[in-house]
Amino acid sequence: GYVFMPTNRVTGIFSSYDDLEATLQALEPLGIEPQNINVFAGPEGAEILDLCAQRHGLTTWIISRWREIRSL
C-alpha cells in the first residue's frame, strides 16, 4: 500500500483530469520517472492520501498539530 513520505514529495489537487494529465506530461521532460508519481483519484484516493493524517502514524500527527499551532 501507500506509505506517506513527508520529504521530497509534492502533492497537487486537480479539478479536472485534463489538468492532471497536463501536469504528468510536464513532469516527464524534467526527468521524473512515472514509477515515482502517485495519483490518488476519487473517494478511494482521498482515503488513501489521508490529508487529515489520521492514519499516517504518530510522527506525522505531531508535525501536523505543530503546523496548526504555529499558524494561530
Side-chain angles (χ1 to χ4, degrees):
Y2 177 69
V3 176
F4 178 70
M5 302 291 288
T7 57
N8 299 319
R9 301 285 184 205
V10 175
T11 300
I13 299 174
F14 302 95
S15 59
S16 72
Y17 178 79
D18 291 339
D19 291 341
L20 167 63
E21 187 62 34
T23 301
L24 293 175
Q25 289 177 7
L27 292 173
E28 186 177 347
L30 298 175
I32 310 285
E33 300 290 332
Q35 64 268 21
N36 293 326
I37 299 172
N38 300 101
V39 175
F40 304 94
E44 298 86 8
E47 186 174 323
I48 293 168
L49 184 56
D50 187 25
L51 291 174
C52 297
Q54 294 176 346
R55 294 175 302 279
H56 285 153
L58 181 60
T59 301
T60 303
W61 182 85
I62 291 170
I63 292 169
S64 183
R65 297 299 84 74
W66 173 250
R67 288 180 181 157
E68 287 177 13
I69 291 169
R70 288 184 50 189
S71 69
L72 295 177

Short mmCIF file of all heavy atoms in Angstrom, two decimals:
data_model
loop_
_atom_site.label_atom_id
_atom_site.label_comp_id
_atom_site.label_asym_id
_atom_site.label_seq_id
_atom_site.Cartn_x
_atom_site.Cartn_y
_atom_site.Cartn_z
N GLY A 1 0.81 -1.19 0.00
CA GLY A 1 0.00 0.00 0.00
C GLY A 1 0.85 1.25 0.00
O GLY A 1 2.07 1.20 -0.01
N TYR A 2 0.19 2.36 0.04
CA TYR A 2 0.85 3.66 0.02
C TYR A 2 1.47 3.96 1.37
O TYR A 2 0.86 3.78 2.40
CB TYR A 2 -0.18 4.75 -0.33
CG TYR A 2 0.40 6.15 -0.31
CD1 TYR A 2 1.31 6.54 -1.27
CD2 TYR A 2 0.04 7.04 0.68
CE1 TYR A 2 1.84 7.81 -1.25
CE2 TYR A 2 0.57 8.32 0.70
CZ TYR A 2 1.47 8.71 -0.26
OH TYR A 2 2.00 9.96 -0.25
N VAL A 3 2.73 4.41 1.35
CA VAL A 3 3.43 4.82 2.56
C VAL A 3 3.73 6.30 2.43
O VAL A 3 4.38 6.74 1.49
CB VAL A 3 4.73 4.03 2.76
CG1 VAL A 3 5.49 4.53 3.97
CG2 VAL A 3 4.44 2.55 2.86
N PHE A 4 3.23 7.09 3.38
CA PHE A 4 3.43 8.54 3.36
C PHE A 4 4.89 8.88 3.61
O PHE A 4 5.48 8.41 4.57
CB PHE A 4 2.54 9.20 4.42
CG PHE A 4 2.73 10.68 4.50
CD1 PHE A 4 2.29 11.49 3.49
CD2 PHE A 4 3.34 11.25 5.60
CE1 PHE A 4 2.45 12.87 3.55
CE2 PHE A 4 3.50 12.62 5.68
CZ PHE A 4 3.06 13.44 4.65
N MET A 5 5.47 9.69 2.73
CA MET A 5 6.84 10.16 2.88
C MET A 5 6.79 11.69 2.94
O MET A 5 6.53 12.33 1.92
CB MET A 5 7.69 9.73 1.68
CG MET A 5 7.74 8.22 1.46
SD MET A 5 8.64 7.35 2.70
CE MET A 5 10.29 7.83 2.29
N PRO A 6 7.01 12.30 4.11
CA PRO A 6 6.80 13.74 4.24
C PRO A 6 7.88 14.62 3.61
O PRO A 6 7.73 15.82 3.58
CB PRO A 6 6.76 13.94 5.75
CG PRO A 6 7.56 12.82 6.30
CD PRO A 6 7.35 11.66 5.36
N THR A 7 8.96 14.05 3.10
CA THR A 7 10.00 14.86 2.49
C THR A 7 10.20 14.44 1.04
O THR A 7 9.91 13.32 0.64
CB THR A 7 11.34 14.72 3.24
OG1 THR A 7 11.70 13.34 3.27
CG2 THR A 7 11.23 15.23 4.66
N ASN A 8 10.70 15.39 0.24
CA ASN A 8 10.99 15.15 -1.17
C ASN A 8 9.76 14.73 -1.96
O ASN A 8 9.85 13.92 -2.87
CB ASN A 8 12.11 14.11 -1.34
CG ASN A 8 13.39 14.56 -0.70
OD1 ASN A 8 13.76 15.73 -0.79
ND2 ASN A 8 14.06 13.66 -0.03
N ARG A 9 8.62 15.30 -1.60
CA ARG A 9 7.37 14.98 -2.29
C ARG A 9 6.61 16.26 -2.60
O ARG A 9 6.74 17.26 -1.90
CB ARG A 9 6.46 14.11 -1.41
CG ARG A 9 7.05 12.80 -1.00
CD ARG A 9 7.03 11.83 -2.15
NE ARG A 9 7.52 10.55 -1.69
CZ ARG A 9 8.06 9.66 -2.47
NH1 ARG A 9 8.17 9.88 -3.75
NH2 ARG A 9 8.49 8.53 -1.99
N VAL A 10 5.82 16.22 -3.63
CA VAL A 10 4.93 17.31 -3.98
C VAL A 10 3.54 16.73 -4.12
O VAL A 10 3.36 15.67 -4.72
CB VAL A 10 5.35 17.99 -5.31
CG1 VAL A 10 4.34 19.03 -5.72
CG2 VAL A 10 6.74 18.58 -5.19
N THR A 11 2.56 17.41 -3.55
CA THR A 11 1.18 16.96 -3.66
C THR A 11 0.38 18.03 -4.38
O THR A 11 0.51 19.22 -4.06
CB THR A 11 0.58 16.72 -2.25
OG1 THR A 11 1.35 15.73 -1.59
CG2 THR A 11 -0.86 16.25 -2.35
N GLY A 12 -0.41 17.63 -5.33
CA GLY A 12 -1.27 18.56 -6.04
C GLY A 12 -2.69 18.04 -6.08
O GLY A 12 -2.92 16.84 -6.12
N ILE A 13 -3.63 18.96 -6.03
CA ILE A 13 -5.04 18.60 -6.15
C ILE A 13 -5.55 19.28 -7.42
O ILE A 13 -5.41 20.49 -7.58
CB ILE A 13 -5.83 19.07 -4.92
CG1 ILE A 13 -5.27 18.36 -3.68
CG2 ILE A 13 -7.32 18.79 -5.09
CD1 ILE A 13 -5.85 18.83 -2.37
N PHE A 14 -6.13 18.50 -8.30
CA PHE A 14 -6.55 19.00 -9.60
C PHE A 14 -8.07 18.93 -9.73
O PHE A 14 -8.69 17.98 -9.28
CB PHE A 14 -5.89 18.17 -10.72
CG PHE A 14 -4.39 18.20 -10.64
CD1 PHE A 14 -3.71 17.18 -10.00
CD2 PHE A 14 -3.68 19.24 -11.17
CE1 PHE A 14 -2.33 17.20 -9.89
CE2 PHE A 14 -2.30 19.28 -11.09
CZ PHE A 14 -1.62 18.26 -10.45
N SER A 15 -8.62 19.94 -10.37
CA SER A 15 -10.07 20.00 -10.53
C SER A 15 -10.56 19.19 -11.72
O SER A 15 -11.75 18.92 -11.84
CB SER A 15 -10.53 21.45 -10.65
OG SER A 15 -9.91 22.07 -11.75
N SER A 16 -9.63 18.80 -12.58
CA SER A 16 -10.06 18.02 -13.74
C SER A 16 -8.98 17.02 -14.14
O SER A 16 -7.79 17.20 -13.82
CB SER A 16 -10.35 18.94 -14.93
OG SER A 16 -9.15 19.46 -15.47
N TYR A 17 -9.41 16.02 -14.86
CA TYR A 17 -8.47 15.03 -15.37
C TYR A 17 -7.51 15.68 -16.36
O TYR A 17 -6.33 15.33 -16.42
CB TYR A 17 -9.22 13.88 -16.02
CG TYR A 17 -8.29 12.83 -16.61
CD1 TYR A 17 -7.68 11.89 -15.78
CD2 TYR A 17 -8.01 12.81 -17.96
CE1 TYR A 17 -6.80 10.96 -16.29
CE2 TYR A 17 -7.14 11.87 -18.49
CZ TYR A 17 -6.54 10.94 -17.65
OH TYR A 17 -5.67 10.02 -18.17
N ASP A 18 -8.00 16.64 -17.15
CA ASP A 18 -7.14 17.33 -18.12
C ASP A 18 -5.98 18.05 -17.43
O ASP A 18 -4.85 18.03 -17.92
CB ASP A 18 -7.95 18.32 -18.95
CG ASP A 18 -8.92 17.63 -19.90
OD1 ASP A 18 -8.70 16.45 -20.23
OD2 ASP A 18 -9.89 18.29 -20.31
N ASP A 19 -6.26 18.69 -16.30
CA ASP A 19 -5.19 19.37 -15.55
C ASP A 19 -4.17 18.36 -15.03
O ASP A 19 -2.97 18.61 -15.08
CB ASP A 19 -5.77 20.15 -14.37
CG ASP A 19 -6.59 21.35 -14.81
OD1 ASP A 19 -6.43 21.81 -15.96
OD2 ASP A 19 -7.39 21.85 -13.98
N LEU A 20 -4.65 17.24 -14.55
CA LEU A 20 -3.75 16.18 -14.07
C LEU A 20 -2.88 15.68 -15.22
O LEU A 20 -1.66 15.57 -15.09
CB LEU A 20 -4.54 15.02 -13.47
CG LEU A 20 -3.75 13.74 -13.22
CD1 LEU A 20 -2.64 13.96 -12.20
CD2 LEU A 20 -4.68 12.62 -12.80
N GLU A 21 -3.50 15.39 -16.34
CA GLU A 21 -2.76 14.86 -17.50
C GLU A 21 -1.70 15.86 -17.97
O GLU A 21 -0.57 15.47 -18.28
CB GLU A 21 -3.74 14.54 -18.63
CG GLU A 21 -3.11 13.83 -19.80
CD GLU A 21 -2.53 12.47 -19.44
OE1 GLU A 21 -3.10 11.78 -18.58
OE2 GLU A 21 -1.51 12.08 -20.04
N ALA A 22 -2.04 17.14 -18.01
CA ALA A 22 -1.07 18.16 -18.42
C ALA A 22 0.11 18.21 -17.46
O ALA A 22 1.27 18.35 -17.88
CB ALA A 22 -1.76 19.52 -18.50
N THR A 23 -0.16 18.07 -16.18
CA THR A 23 0.92 18.08 -15.18
C THR A 23 1.81 16.86 -15.33
O THR A 23 3.04 16.98 -15.30
CB THR A 23 0.33 18.14 -13.76
OG1 THR A 23 -0.46 19.33 -13.65
CG2 THR A 23 1.42 18.15 -12.72
N LEU A 24 1.22 15.71 -15.53
CA LEU A 24 2.01 14.49 -15.72
C LEU A 24 2.90 14.62 -16.95
O LEU A 24 4.06 14.22 -16.92
CB LEU A 24 1.09 13.27 -15.82
CG LEU A 24 0.32 12.90 -14.55
CD1 LEU A 24 -0.64 11.75 -14.85
CD2 LEU A 24 1.26 12.55 -13.42
N GLN A 25 2.37 15.18 -18.02
CA GLN A 25 3.16 15.37 -19.24
C GLN A 25 4.29 16.37 -19.02
O GLN A 25 5.37 16.22 -19.57
CB GLN A 25 2.26 15.80 -20.39
CG GLN A 25 1.36 14.70 -20.88
CD GLN A 25 0.41 15.16 -21.97
OE1 GLN A 25 0.50 16.27 -22.49
NE2 GLN A 25 -0.53 14.29 -22.34
N ALA A 26 4.04 17.39 -18.19
CA ALA A 26 5.07 18.40 -17.91
C ALA A 26 6.19 17.82 -17.04
O ALA A 26 7.33 18.28 -17.12
CB ALA A 26 4.45 19.61 -17.22
N LEU A 27 5.89 16.83 -16.23
CA LEU A 27 6.91 16.23 -15.37
C LEU A 27 7.87 15.34 -16.14
O LEU A 27 9.03 15.19 -15.77
CB LEU A 27 6.25 15.43 -14.24
CG LEU A 27 5.49 16.25 -13.19
CD1 LEU A 27 4.74 15.32 -12.25
CD2 LEU A 27 6.44 17.15 -12.43
N GLU A 28 7.40 14.75 -17.21
CA GLU A 28 8.22 13.79 -17.98
C GLU A 28 9.54 14.39 -18.46
O GLU A 28 10.60 13.81 -18.22
CB GLU A 28 7.41 13.23 -19.14
CG GLU A 28 8.12 12.13 -19.88
CD GLU A 28 7.26 11.55 -20.99
OE1 GLU A 28 6.04 11.81 -21.02
OE2 GLU A 28 7.81 10.82 -21.81
N PRO A 29 9.53 15.56 -19.13
CA PRO A 29 10.82 16.09 -19.60
C PRO A 29 11.74 16.56 -18.48
O PRO A 29 12.92 16.80 -18.69
CB PRO A 29 10.43 17.26 -20.51
CG PRO A 29 9.02 17.57 -20.22
CD PRO A 29 8.41 16.36 -19.61
N LEU A 30 11.21 16.67 -17.27
CA LEU A 30 12.03 17.06 -16.12
C LEU A 30 12.77 15.87 -15.51
O LEU A 30 13.51 16.02 -14.56
CB LEU A 30 11.16 17.73 -15.05
CG LEU A 30 10.46 19.00 -15.47
CD1 LEU A 30 9.53 19.49 -14.38
CD2 LEU A 30 11.48 20.08 -15.83
N GLY A 31 12.53 14.70 -16.08
CA GLY A 31 13.22 13.51 -15.61
C GLY A 31 12.52 12.79 -14.47
O GLY A 31 13.10 11.91 -13.85
N ILE A 32 11.27 13.15 -14.20
CA ILE A 32 10.51 12.48 -13.15
C ILE A 32 10.00 11.16 -13.74
O ILE A 32 9.25 11.14 -14.70
CB ILE A 32 9.31 13.33 -12.68
CG1 ILE A 32 9.75 14.75 -12.33
CG2 ILE A 32 8.59 12.63 -11.52
CD1 ILE A 32 10.48 14.92 -11.07
N GLU A 33 10.44 10.08 -13.16
CA GLU A 33 10.04 8.76 -13.65
C GLU A 33 8.60 8.46 -13.26
O GLU A 33 8.18 8.75 -12.13
CB GLU A 33 10.95 7.68 -13.05
CG GLU A 33 12.42 7.85 -13.39
CD GLU A 33 12.71 7.56 -14.84
OE1 GLU A 33 11.97 6.76 -15.44
OE2 GLU A 33 13.68 8.12 -15.37
N PRO A 34 7.81 7.90 -14.18
CA PRO A 34 6.40 7.59 -13.88
C PRO A 34 6.21 6.73 -12.63
O PRO A 34 5.24 6.92 -11.90
CB PRO A 34 5.92 6.85 -15.13
CG PRO A 34 6.83 7.31 -16.21
CD PRO A 34 8.16 7.56 -15.55
N GLN A 35 7.15 5.83 -12.35
CA GLN A 35 7.00 4.99 -11.17
C GLN A 35 7.19 5.78 -9.87
O GLN A 35 6.89 5.28 -8.79
CB GLN A 35 7.96 3.79 -11.21
CG GLN A 35 9.43 4.14 -11.18
CD GLN A 35 10.03 4.29 -12.55
OE1 GLN A 35 9.34 4.51 -13.54
NE2 GLN A 35 11.34 4.17 -12.63
N ASN A 36 7.66 7.02 -9.97
CA ASN A 36 7.84 7.87 -8.79
C ASN A 36 6.68 8.85 -8.61
O ASN A 36 6.77 9.77 -7.80
CB ASN A 36 9.15 8.64 -8.88
CG ASN A 36 10.34 7.72 -8.78
OD1 ASN A 36 10.29 6.72 -8.08
ND2 ASN A 36 11.40 8.03 -9.48
N ILE A 37 5.62 8.68 -9.36
CA ILE A 37 4.46 9.55 -9.29
C ILE A 37 3.29 8.76 -8.73
O ILE A 37 2.98 7.67 -9.21
CB ILE A 37 4.09 10.12 -10.68
CG1 ILE A 37 5.26 10.96 -11.22
CG2 ILE A 37 2.81 10.93 -10.61
CD1 ILE A 37 5.07 11.40 -12.66
N ASN A 38 2.65 9.29 -7.70
CA ASN A 38 1.45 8.68 -7.13
C ASN A 38 0.26 9.53 -7.51
O ASN A 38 0.29 10.75 -7.33
CB ASN A 38 1.53 8.59 -5.61
CG ASN A 38 2.70 7.76 -5.15
OD1 ASN A 38 3.72 8.31 -4.76
ND2 ASN A 38 2.58 6.46 -5.20
N VAL A 39 -0.78 8.91 -8.03
CA VAL A 39 -2.02 9.61 -8.37
C VAL A 39 -3.13 9.02 -7.52
O VAL A 39 -3.31 7.80 -7.48
CB VAL A 39 -2.35 9.47 -9.88
CG1 VAL A 39 -3.70 10.10 -10.18
CG2 VAL A 39 -1.26 10.09 -10.72
N PHE A 40 -3.86 9.89 -6.84
CA PHE A 40 -4.97 9.48 -6.00
C PHE A 40 -6.23 10.08 -6.59
O PHE A 40 -6.33 11.30 -6.73
CB PHE A 40 -4.78 9.99 -4.57
CG PHE A 40 -3.48 9.54 -3.97
CD1 PHE A 40 -2.35 10.33 -4.02
CD2 PHE A 40 -3.39 8.30 -3.36
CE1 PHE A 40 -1.16 9.92 -3.47
CE2 PHE A 40 -2.20 7.87 -2.80
CZ PHE A 40 -1.09 8.68 -2.86
N ALA A 41 -7.20 9.24 -6.94
CA ALA A 41 -8.41 9.73 -7.60
C ALA A 41 -9.65 9.28 -6.85
O ALA A 41 -9.72 8.16 -6.34
CB ALA A 41 -8.46 9.21 -9.04
N GLY A 42 -10.63 10.17 -6.81
CA GLY A 42 -11.93 9.85 -6.22
C GLY A 42 -11.89 9.66 -4.72
O GLY A 42 -10.88 9.90 -4.07
N PRO A 43 -13.00 9.20 -4.18
CA PRO A 43 -13.08 8.98 -2.72
C PRO A 43 -12.05 7.98 -2.21
O PRO A 43 -11.49 8.15 -1.13
CB PRO A 43 -14.49 8.46 -2.52
CG PRO A 43 -15.27 8.92 -3.70
CD PRO A 43 -14.28 8.97 -4.84
N GLU A 44 -11.77 6.95 -3.00
CA GLU A 44 -10.79 5.95 -2.59
C GLU A 44 -9.40 6.58 -2.49
O GLU A 44 -8.65 6.32 -1.56
CB GLU A 44 -10.75 4.77 -3.56
CG GLU A 44 -12.04 4.00 -3.66
CD GLU A 44 -13.02 4.61 -4.67
OE1 GLU A 44 -12.65 5.55 -5.41
OE2 GLU A 44 -14.17 4.15 -4.70
N GLY A 45 -9.06 7.40 -3.47
CA GLY A 45 -7.77 8.08 -3.46
C GLY A 45 -7.64 9.04 -2.29
O GLY A 45 -6.60 9.13 -1.66
N ALA A 46 -8.73 9.76 -2.00
CA ALA A 46 -8.72 10.68 -0.86
C ALA A 46 -8.51 9.93 0.45
O ALA A 46 -7.79 10.40 1.33
CB ALA A 46 -10.03 11.47 -0.82
N GLU A 47 -9.11 8.78 0.56
CA GLU A 47 -8.94 7.99 1.78
C GLU A 47 -7.50 7.50 1.92
O GLU A 47 -6.91 7.53 3.00
CB GLU A 47 -9.89 6.80 1.78
CG GLU A 47 -9.87 6.03 3.08
CD GLU A 47 -10.92 4.94 3.12
OE1 GLU A 47 -12.03 5.15 2.60
OE2 GLU A 47 -10.61 3.88 3.68
N ILE A 48 -6.90 7.06 0.83
CA ILE A 48 -5.52 6.58 0.86
C ILE A 48 -4.57 7.74 1.16
O ILE A 48 -3.66 7.62 1.99
CB ILE A 48 -5.13 5.91 -0.47
CG1 ILE A 48 -5.93 4.62 -0.66
CG2 ILE A 48 -3.62 5.63 -0.54
CD1 ILE A 48 -5.83 4.04 -2.05
N LEU A 49 -4.78 8.88 0.51
CA LEU A 49 -3.92 10.05 0.71
C LEU A 49 -4.03 10.56 2.14
O LEU A 49 -3.05 10.97 2.73
CB LEU A 49 -4.27 11.15 -0.28
CG LEU A 49 -3.39 12.39 -0.26
CD1 LEU A 49 -1.93 12.03 -0.46
CD2 LEU A 49 -3.85 13.36 -1.33
N ASP A 50 -5.22 10.54 2.71
CA ASP A 50 -5.44 10.86 4.13
C ASP A 50 -4.87 12.22 4.49
O ASP A 50 -3.97 12.34 5.31
CB ASP A 50 -4.83 9.76 5.01
CG ASP A 50 -5.15 9.93 6.48
OD1 ASP A 50 -6.17 10.57 6.82
OD2 ASP A 50 -4.37 9.44 7.30
N LEU A 51 -5.42 13.28 3.88
CA LEU A 51 -4.94 14.63 4.13
C LEU A 51 -5.07 15.06 5.59
O LEU A 51 -4.37 15.96 6.03
CB LEU A 51 -5.67 15.63 3.22
CG LEU A 51 -5.32 15.52 1.75
CD1 LEU A 51 -6.20 16.46 0.93
CD2 LEU A 51 -3.86 15.81 1.50
N CYS A 52 -5.95 14.45 6.34
CA CYS A 52 -6.11 14.79 7.76
C CYS A 52 -5.08 14.07 8.63
O CYS A 52 -5.04 14.28 9.83
CB CYS A 52 -7.52 14.44 8.23
SG CYS A 52 -8.79 15.40 7.39
N ALA A 53 -4.27 13.22 8.03
CA ALA A 53 -3.19 12.49 8.72
C ALA A 53 -3.71 11.63 9.85
O ALA A 53 -3.05 11.46 10.87
CB ALA A 53 -2.12 13.46 9.21
N GLN A 54 -4.86 11.05 9.68
CA GLN A 54 -5.43 10.21 10.72
C GLN A 54 -4.77 8.83 10.78
O GLN A 54 -4.78 8.20 11.83
CB GLN A 54 -6.93 10.04 10.50
CG GLN A 54 -7.69 11.33 10.67
CD GLN A 54 -9.16 11.16 10.34
OE1 GLN A 54 -9.57 10.16 9.76
NE2 GLN A 54 -9.95 12.14 10.71
N ARG A 55 -4.18 8.38 9.67
CA ARG A 55 -3.60 7.04 9.64
C ARG A 55 -2.13 7.04 9.23
O ARG A 55 -1.61 6.05 8.77
CB ARG A 55 -4.41 6.16 8.69
CG ARG A 55 -5.82 5.91 9.17
CD ARG A 55 -6.64 5.14 8.16
NE ARG A 55 -6.74 5.78 6.87
CZ ARG A 55 -7.59 6.78 6.57
NH1 ARG A 55 -8.38 7.26 7.48
NH2 ARG A 55 -7.65 7.28 5.37
N HIS A 56 -1.43 8.18 9.41
CA HIS A 56 -0.03 8.26 9.00
C HIS A 56 0.95 8.05 10.14
O HIS A 56 2.14 8.20 9.96
CB HIS A 56 0.26 9.61 8.34
CG HIS A 56 -0.30 9.71 6.97
ND1 HIS A 56 -0.65 10.89 6.41
CD2 HIS A 56 -0.58 8.78 6.03
CE1 HIS A 56 -1.12 10.69 5.19
NE2 HIS A 56 -1.09 9.42 4.94
N GLY A 57 0.47 7.74 11.31
CA GLY A 57 1.37 7.49 12.42
C GLY A 57 1.60 8.70 13.30
O GLY A 57 1.22 9.82 12.98
N LEU A 58 2.25 8.46 14.40
CA LEU A 58 2.45 9.47 15.43
C LEU A 58 3.29 10.65 14.96
O LEU A 58 2.95 11.80 15.21
CB LEU A 58 3.09 8.83 16.68
CG LEU A 58 3.33 9.76 17.85
CD1 LEU A 58 2.02 10.38 18.34
CD2 LEU A 58 4.03 9.03 18.98
N THR A 59 4.39 10.39 14.26
CA THR A 59 5.27 11.48 13.82
C THR A 59 4.53 12.44 12.92
O THR A 59 4.61 13.67 13.11
CB THR A 59 6.50 10.91 13.09
OG1 THR A 59 7.20 10.04 13.97
CG2 THR A 59 7.42 12.03 12.64
N THR A 60 3.79 11.94 11.97
CA THR A 60 3.03 12.80 11.06
C THR A 60 1.96 13.56 11.82
O THR A 60 1.72 14.74 11.56
CB THR A 60 2.41 11.97 9.92
OG1 THR A 60 3.47 11.30 9.25
CG2 THR A 60 1.66 12.85 8.95
N TRP A 61 1.32 12.92 12.77
CA TRP A 61 0.30 13.58 13.57
C TRP A 61 0.90 14.74 14.35
O TRP A 61 0.35 15.84 14.38
CB TRP A 61 -0.36 12.58 14.53
CG TRP A 61 -1.45 13.19 15.34
CD1 TRP A 61 -2.75 13.35 14.97
CD2 TRP A 61 -1.32 13.74 16.65
NE1 TRP A 61 -3.45 13.97 15.98
CE2 TRP A 61 -2.60 14.22 17.03
CE3 TRP A 61 -0.27 13.88 17.54
CZ2 TRP A 61 -2.83 14.83 18.26
CZ3 TRP A 61 -0.51 14.47 18.76
CH2 TRP A 61 -1.77 14.94 19.11
N ILE A 62 2.07 14.53 14.95
CA ILE A 62 2.74 15.58 15.72
C ILE A 62 3.12 16.75 14.80
O ILE A 62 2.89 17.91 15.14
CB ILE A 62 3.99 15.02 16.44
CG1 ILE A 62 3.55 14.07 17.55
CG2 ILE A 62 4.86 16.15 16.98
CD1 ILE A 62 4.68 13.28 18.18
N ILE A 63 3.69 16.46 13.65
CA ILE A 63 4.05 17.52 12.69
C ILE A 63 2.81 18.30 12.27
O ILE A 63 2.83 19.53 12.22
CB ILE A 63 4.78 16.92 11.47
CG1 ILE A 63 6.15 16.39 11.89
CG2 ILE A 63 4.91 17.96 10.36
CD1 ILE A 63 6.83 15.55 10.83
N SER A 64 1.75 17.60 11.98
CA SER A 64 0.51 18.25 11.56
C SER A 64 -0.03 19.17 12.66
O SER A 64 -0.44 20.30 12.39
CB SER A 64 -0.52 17.18 11.20
OG SER A 64 -1.69 17.75 10.73
N ARG A 65 -0.04 18.69 13.89
CA ARG A 65 -0.53 19.52 15.00
C ARG A 65 0.38 20.73 15.23
O ARG A 65 -0.07 21.83 15.50
CB ARG A 65 -0.62 18.72 16.30
CG ARG A 65 -1.60 17.54 16.30
CD ARG A 65 -3.07 17.87 16.06
NE ARG A 65 -3.53 18.02 14.70
CZ ARG A 65 -3.74 17.05 13.80
NH1 ARG A 65 -3.48 15.81 14.07
NH2 ARG A 65 -4.19 17.33 12.60
N TRP A 66 1.70 20.54 15.12
CA TRP A 66 2.66 21.62 15.28
C TRP A 66 2.40 22.71 14.24
O TRP A 66 2.42 23.90 14.57
CB TRP A 66 4.08 21.08 15.18
CG TRP A 66 5.14 22.16 15.17
CD1 TRP A 66 5.91 22.53 14.13
CD2 TRP A 66 5.51 23.00 16.26
NE1 TRP A 66 6.74 23.54 14.49
CE2 TRP A 66 6.51 23.85 15.81
CE3 TRP A 66 5.07 23.11 17.58
CZ2 TRP A 66 7.09 24.81 16.62
CZ3 TRP A 66 5.67 24.06 18.39
CH2 TRP A 66 6.67 24.90 17.91
N ARG A 67 2.16 22.33 13.02
CA ARG A 67 1.86 23.32 11.96
C ARG A 67 0.58 24.08 12.28
O ARG A 67 0.50 25.28 12.05
CB ARG A 67 1.77 22.63 10.61
CG ARG A 67 3.10 22.18 10.09
CD ARG A 67 2.97 21.52 8.75
NE ARG A 67 4.27 21.08 8.29
CZ ARG A 67 4.45 20.12 7.41
NH1 ARG A 67 3.43 19.49 6.89
NH2 ARG A 67 5.66 19.78 7.03
N GLU A 68 -0.41 23.38 12.79
CA GLU A 68 -1.66 24.04 13.17
C GLU A 68 -1.43 25.07 14.26
O GLU A 68 -1.93 26.18 14.20
CB GLU A 68 -2.69 23.02 13.63
CG GLU A 68 -3.28 22.19 12.52
CD GLU A 68 -4.25 21.16 13.04
OE1 GLU A 68 -4.66 21.21 14.22
OE2 GLU A 68 -4.61 20.26 12.26
N ILE A 69 -0.64 24.71 15.27
CA ILE A 69 -0.37 25.62 16.39
C ILE A 69 0.42 26.83 15.91
O ILE A 69 0.11 27.97 16.29
CB ILE A 69 0.40 24.87 17.50
CG1 ILE A 69 -0.51 23.84 18.15
CG2 ILE A 69 0.96 25.84 18.53
CD1 ILE A 69 0.20 22.86 19.06
N ARG A 70 1.41 26.61 15.05
CA ARG A 70 2.22 27.73 14.54
C ARG A 70 1.42 28.70 13.70
O ARG A 70 1.77 29.86 13.60
CB ARG A 70 3.39 27.18 13.73
CG ARG A 70 4.45 26.54 14.60
CD ARG A 70 5.63 26.10 13.82
NE ARG A 70 6.11 27.19 12.97
CZ ARG A 70 7.03 27.04 12.04
NH1 ARG A 70 7.56 25.87 11.82
NH2 ARG A 70 7.44 28.06 11.32
N SER A 71 0.36 28.23 13.07
CA SER A 71 -0.43 29.10 12.19
C SER A 71 -1.44 29.95 12.97
O SER A 71 -2.08 30.81 12.38
CB SER A 71 -1.15 28.27 11.14
OG SER A 71 -2.16 27.48 11.73
N LEU A 72 -1.56 29.74 14.26
CA LEU A 72 -2.51 30.53 15.07
C LEU A 72 -2.03 31.94 15.28
O LEU A 72 -0.95 32.29 15.31
CB LEU A 72 -2.74 29.85 16.42
CG LEU A 72 -3.41 28.49 16.36
CD1 LEU A 72 -3.52 27.91 17.77
CD2 LEU A 72 -4.80 28.59 15.76
#
